[in-house]
Amino acid sequence: MVEEMIEIYQPTIDEKTRLKIKPNQFKVSGDGVFFSLQGEGQSIGKPAVFLRLHFCNLQCSWCDTRYTWDRSISQFWQEAQDWSIEQAVAKITRFPVRRLIVTGGEPLLQQRNVANLLQQMPDWDVEIETTGTIEPLPELQERVQFNVSPKLENSGNLRVARYRSQALRILNGLPATSFKFVVQSPADFGEIDEVVRDTPLDQSKIIIMPEGSTHEEVRKHGLAVVEEVKSRGWRLMPRLHVELWGAERGV
Ligand code: SF4
């Protein structure tokens, strides 16, 4: 049997330099800003402007935005852009809605800049997609709807990296937070039960979302966990953007 060679991209010196964080500048991924529908969670279906930030503190095996963090692929090095707060405001406010979703990667790695951005947009509804591993700044806690997606063992991340109980407790205490667990099979629910018990999580905030980047995968994983969701009284929700656009980027 011939083993497949995994090609690891070798960045140039210029590309490495471009990845350095600059004061008061966002490091934005190649998707930048785009206008679409919220594809997941409690605001599913709502039109919103998305800001996709670069970098993540986790490495999920099934991640569909690897270009935000995976150093072995060229897009990670070549697509990142530096935007000032003013540039970000100008690009976000071109669209006819007042809902912003800050996503990534892990947007809270750049939360000081996010807080500065939101000061310029006082009349906007704002959501942040996060893994729940970083405690949000107080000014974000007051203002933002956090869509928290705590990662499970099925993500391939070590527990020490993916589980931060203090951050989860803070997020659980905020009224607009929801917790979205990405599942593949009933075997994932033992770990979710543990997180719920240990935090303890408000179970009315729990959403279960089947993993998958195709309609078939999402359906298969969804059907596999229906009974687990029913028996706990939680919610099972689809991935709208996968239904509509599959794995396409920037939509
Ligand atoms: S936390 Fe999100 S962005 Fe980061 S690796 Fe996992 S799926 Fe990808």
Side-chain angles (χ1 to χ4, degrees), residues 56 58-60 62-63 65 68-69 104-105 131 151:
C56 190
L58 297 183
Q59 302 186 348
C60 302
W62 35 254
C63 178
T65 54
T68 63
W69 59 269
T131 57
K151 297 299 181 272

Side-chain angles (χ1 to χ4, degrees), residues 87-235:
Q87 281 174 307
V89 171
K91 288 172 193 286
I92 291 165
T93 53
R94 282 178 298 155
F95 301 102
V97 291
R98 288 287 174 273
R99 175 172 295 272
L100 172 66
I101 299 174
V102 189
T103 188
E106 171 50 76
L108 291 185
L109 291 171
Q110 302 188 53
Q111 61 172 327
R112 174 40 58 202
N113 282 341
V114 175
N116 293 342
L117 172 74
L118 298 194
Q119 278 185 355
Q120 312 290 319
M121 303 169 61
D123 56 341
W124 280 62
D125 293 322
V126 181
E127 302 178 28
I128 293 181
E129 311 273 350
T130 177
T131 57
T133 54
I134 297 173
E135 296 174 26
L137 291 169
E139 53 264 57
L140 293 180
Q141 294 180 30
E142 286 162 15
R143 168 82 191 274
V144 168
Q145 171 186 314
F146 287 96
N147 304 327
V148 185
S149 181
K151 297 299 181 272
L152 304 173
E153 194 179 350
N154 70 29
S155 69
N157 293 288
L158 293 175
R159 185 178 162 88
V160 66
R162 69 178 189 265
Y163 181 62
R164 297 285 159 80
S165 57
Q166 180 58 15
L168 286 182
R169 278 192 200 109
I170 290 170
L171 289 158
N172 187 49
L174 307 176
T177 298
S178 62
F179 293 94
K180 179 183 69 190
F181 291 91
V182 179
V183 301
Q184 295 173 325
S185 78
D188 293 323
F189 282 74
E191 192 182 350
I192 303 175
D193 290 337
E194 227 177 89
V195 175
V196 170
R197 201 173 46 240
D198 290 352
T199 306
L201 282 192
D202 175 348
Q203 298 197 43
S204 70
K205 298 180 176 200
I206 296 177
I207 293 167
I208 300 298
M209 192 182 78
E211 188 271 319
S213 53
T214 65
H215 165 77
E216 291 73 24
E217 282 172 343
V218 172
R219 181 165 185 268
K220 179 177 138 203
H221 292 145
L223 282 172
V225 300
V226 167
E227 294 308 320
E228 305 296 330
V229 175
K230 280 163 64 181
S231 66
R232 288 166 177 80
W234 297 343
R235 280 182 290 172

Side-chain angles (χ1 to χ4, degrees), residues 1-51:
M1 196 169 82
V2 181
E3 277 189 27
E4 198 184 329
M5 295 283 289
I6 298 170
E7 203 176 308
I8 295 182
Y9 180 75
Q10 300 297 333
T12 64
I13 304 276
D14 274 1
E15 285 167 353
K16 284 185 182 170
T17 307
R18 274 185 44 213
L19 260 285
K20 294 218 166 89
I21 300 280
K22 301 187 177 66
N24 302 316
Q25 299 257 311
F26 279 116
K27 196 66 78 178
V28 177
S29 90
D31 299 335
V33 159
F34 55 97
F35 180 36
S36 189
L37 303 175
Q38 170 60 289
E40 301 173 355
Q42 57 181 330
S43 309
I44 191 167
K46 289 189 181 175
V49 182
F50 289 75
L51 169 64

